[in-house]
Amino acid sequence: MTAYDFIVVGAGSAGCAVAGRLATESSASVQLVEAGGSDRRLTTRVPLLAPMQYGTSLDWAYVTEPEPACGGRRIAQPRGRVLGGCSAMNGMFWVKGSNLDYDGWRLPGWGWDDVAPVFARIEQGPMHITRSPFPDELSHRFVASARASGVASNDDVSGPELDGAAITPVNIHKGQRWSTARGYLGHCNNLTVVTKASVDRVIIRDGRAVGIEYRRRGRAHRAFADQEVVLSAGAFGTPQLLQVSGIGPADHLRRVGVTPLVDSRRVGQGLADHPLTWAIWSLAPGHVGLADTANPKWLLQWLLRRGGKLTSNGGEALAHIRSTLDAPACDVQLIFTPADARAEPRGGRLAPALSVGHSYWTPKSRGSVLIRSSDSAVPPAIRMNLLTEREDVEALVRAVKRTREIMATEPIASAVERELQPGAAADIEACIRNTAKTTSHPACSVAMGNDADSPLDEKLRVRGVESLRVADASALPQIPRANTNAPSIMIGERCADFLLADVSPGAI
């Protein structure tokens, strides 16, 4: 048995920010517990190798229940199981969102004027934000064609003004991925990082979170927190941990063998993600894109100089568009990659192609995350309900048609041969339903809110339990027009602000 001032569960985008700031800005003892292991691997450091982590020990490898509006398919939900969490696995996009997102939450302390200084602090401090360092010439062509077809000429598309086409802003530093583990976790004597430790539940006594139970190397452990426990296990892991600990919809908890301690009916409800569909074109002779990245010369270039094609994040260019004229802000992100999005990451030499992903930012469809068992080792049932709302499908159809206009515009038009997906004569909606995924931005499953039924209050405190907070994308009240890594880190920073303001005098 060990005791700390604070325990943070999950060393991902938000958890590293919480633990790192608590340790560096106070003398409080902090334990950071992570189910995965070290991030000292080529696949986590070399930007373009990120997909090589999918389906490995570095991935929670969740899958949804059969999705009724997507042909009954189960849709893969990769999540980082490693120091840095999804910030060690994602596409490294740095997009913060629109001011309309944050102001629209109508939560004290979370408007754009409140969070903008926090984003600036992140960008100027622990996280290195740059542009894709060596974008392919096809990516420059896409940006030029998008602008020529009417998309705004805006070099900074990270927000709050999102309209525009540009080379992607990314968290890559000197040719390497810059995760939150690298940005926040220094060598502090008051920070204890425990890896390969699976948390079973939060220990709650007399209405207060006092610690956690976890398993490591086959042995059961307990750790206690004198001040607070923070859950940063992500939009799937956090609602699962709350529910196995007795916090959630009471009727459901009883059905799966958990004694309810707090009947919080919206824990696990409201799950949102940005639906994603790809359009793909074959390249004209003379264009290669990223099809040759299996050539050993590119790995050699990266090892020797941190240069070459492996420094690419894959999605090298973005165009943020409005799918309707009356949209109050951009509602679709077009993600350009000079490669075939259908290709297997371990497939060797690839056919030259380019792809445009269509990520719909304001979906109406909502899902859930509900435990199947009192055993935390059993994955929860994830229902995205992707594309169950008609408006979501219609927006993606409009977006694909808009992309076709861009691809018919020079200078990109002369670089492509033919449309491979959906195909010129294909039914766009049918293609979307048969191939759509998510953008891996799960959020809102333990949402903040002003009303008494919201699982969290505006300071990320779990309603009904003292000394327990949530800091990750599950806490988002609404999914923003953003790649959710940046908002997740911001939430971690805000949580650290709250905790540092309340930290006991002896731990300052």
Side-chain angles (χ1 to χ4, degrees):
M1 183 182 76
T2 52
Y4 302 87
D5 290 312
F6 296 97
I7 296 173
V8 181
V9 177
S13 297
C16 286
V18 176
R21 285 199 56 214
L22 285 174
T24 56
E25 297 180 34
S26 77
S27 60
S29 58
V30 182
Q31 184 191 47
L32 177 60
V33 182
E34 167 57 40
S38 170
D39 65 341
R40 293 182 177 276
R41 301 165 181 256
L42 270 180
T43 53
T44 58
R45 296 298 175 90
V46 181
L48 194 59
L49 298 188
M52 300 287 284
Q53 300 176 66
Y54 300 168
T56 71
S57 62
L58 306 181
D59 182 7
W60 284 97
Y62 294 107
V63 292
T64 69
E65 297 297 289
E67 290 289 333
C70 295
R73 291 180 294 121
R74 294 179 182 268
I75 298 176
Q77 297 291 310
R79 298 279 89 194
R81 189 173 186 167
V82 61
L83 280 177
C86 290
S87 75
M89 176 189 272
N90 64 9
M92 294 154 281
F93 296 68
W94 187 261
V95 177
K96 296 169 287 194
S98 166
N99 57 303
L100 298 182
D101 296 319
Y102 302 96
D103 292 341
W105 296 350
R106 301 185 184 280
L107 277 176
W110 293 94
W112 177 253
D113 289 343
D114 300 303
V115 302
V118 182
F119 281 122
R121 183 171 72 203
I122 296 167
E123 293 168 339
Q124 295 161 13
M127 299 303 291
H128 294 282
I129 312 303
T130 57
R131 301 284 163 178
S132 292
F134 301 101
D136 192 270
E137 61 97 12
L138 291 167
S139 300
H140 287 293
R141 285 181 180 236
F142 174 78
V143 170
S145 293
R147 293 177 175 184
S149 71
V151 180
S153 297
N154 177 14
D155 288 330
D156 181 7
V157 292
S158 62
E161 298 298 328
L162 295 168
D163 295 83
I167 298 300
T168 305
V170 291
N171 48 283
I172 294 175
H173 182 56
K174 296 182 178 178
Q176 297 187 66
R177 172 193 294 274
W178 194 259
S179 70
T180 53
R182 302 190 72 191
Y184 284 93
L185 300 185
H187 297 286
C188 298
N189 292 332
N190 57 334
L191 175 62
T192 301
V193 180
V194 182
T195 58
K196 299 185 178 179
S198 298
V199 175
D200 288 323
R201 71 181 183 100
V202 180
I203 303 169
I204 299 171
R205 294 177 180 167
D206 299 322
R208 180 178 181 271
V210 298
I212 60 170
E213 293 179 355
Y214 65 93
R215 288 169 288 110
R216 188 171 189 263
R217 295 176 179 170
R219 295 181 58 189
H221 299 264
R222 283 186 166 196
F224 290 89
D226 290 336
Q227 298 205 34
E228 297 209 27
V229 175
V230 179
L231 299 184
S232 297
F236 304 142
T238 289
Q240 179 186 21
L241 276 177
L242 288 170
Q243 290 171 41
V244 297
S245 303
I247 306 162
D251 290 345
H252 178 74
L253 298 188
R254 291 189 189 97
R255 282 195 294 270
V256 295
V258 174
T259 300
L261 300 179
V262 177
D263 184 9
S264 187
R265 290 174 291 171
R266 283 158 57 181
V267 168
Q269 300 296 329
L271 176 67
D273 203 333
H274 298 137
L276 174 73
T277 191
W278 289 96
I280 303 167
W281 282 261
S282 60
L283 290 177
H287 299 281
V288 177
L290 297 176
D292 66 339
T293 50
N295 189 317
K297 72 177 182 179
W298 298 118
L299 179 58
L300 186 63
Q301 276 199 32
W302 188 88
L303 291 170
L304 294 177
R305 301 196 297 271
R306 297 296 189 265
K309 291 190 177 184
L310 295 188
T311 63
S312 171
N313 74 316
E316 295 182 351
L318 300 175
H320 295 160
I321 65 171
R322 306 185 188 210
S323 69
T324 60
L325 292 176
D326 59 351
C330 294
D331 60 351
V332 175
Q333 180 182 67
L334 304 182
I335 305 165
F336 178 86
T337 180
D340 189 333
R342 303 167 301 181
E344 290 296 324
R346 301 172 185 84
R349 184 168 178 80
L350 309 173
L354 61 79
S355 306
V356 179
H358 307 76
S359 180
Y360 181 45
W361 271 346
T362 56
K364 301 293 188 298
S365 303
R366 293 292 181 269
S368 62
V369 182
L370 293 172
I371 57 172
R372 309 171 193 267
S373 164
S374 59
D375 183 355
S376 63
V378 177
I382 300 168
R383 293 177 174 84
M384 282 292 177
N385 293 328
L386 201 68
L387 305 183
T388 51
E389 294 290 337
R390 181 72 197 164
E391 293 175 48
D392 299 354
V393 184
E394 291 173 348
L396 287 172
V397 170
R398 292 193 299 269
V400 170
K401 291 178 178 178
R402 182 69 179 94
T403 292
R404 284 175 168 172
E405 294 174 0
I406 294 172
M407 298 303 297
T409 304
E410 290 294 357
I412 198 69
S414 57
V416 298
E417 257 185 348
R418 64 189 181 90
E419 184 179 310
L420 303 175
Q421 182 177 300
D427 182 322
I428 298 176
E429 179 176 335
C431 179
I432 290 170
R433 292 196 183 278
N434 290 330
T435 64
K437 303 178 181 180
T438 67
T439 319
S440 294
H441 297 161
C444 310
S445 52
V446 189
M448 287 188 286
N450 290 317
D451 57 297
D453 284 342
S454 297
L456 308 179
D457 70 11
E458 72 279 0
K459 290 194 173 181
L460 302 167
R461 293 175 293 209
V462 176
R463 284 194 165 92
V465 184
E466 293 182 12
S467 304
L468 181 61
R469 302 198 199 217
V470 167
D472 56 35
S474 71
L476 290 164
Q478 293 288 332
I479 191 166
R481 299 168 178 86
N483 303 76
T484 49
N485 186 45
S488 296
I489 299 172
M490 181 273 292
I491 286 175
E493 286 266 353
R494 293 290 284 143
C495 185
D497 288 341
F498 301 146
L499 293 170
L500 288 165
D502 294 340
V503 73
S504 67
I508 294 177

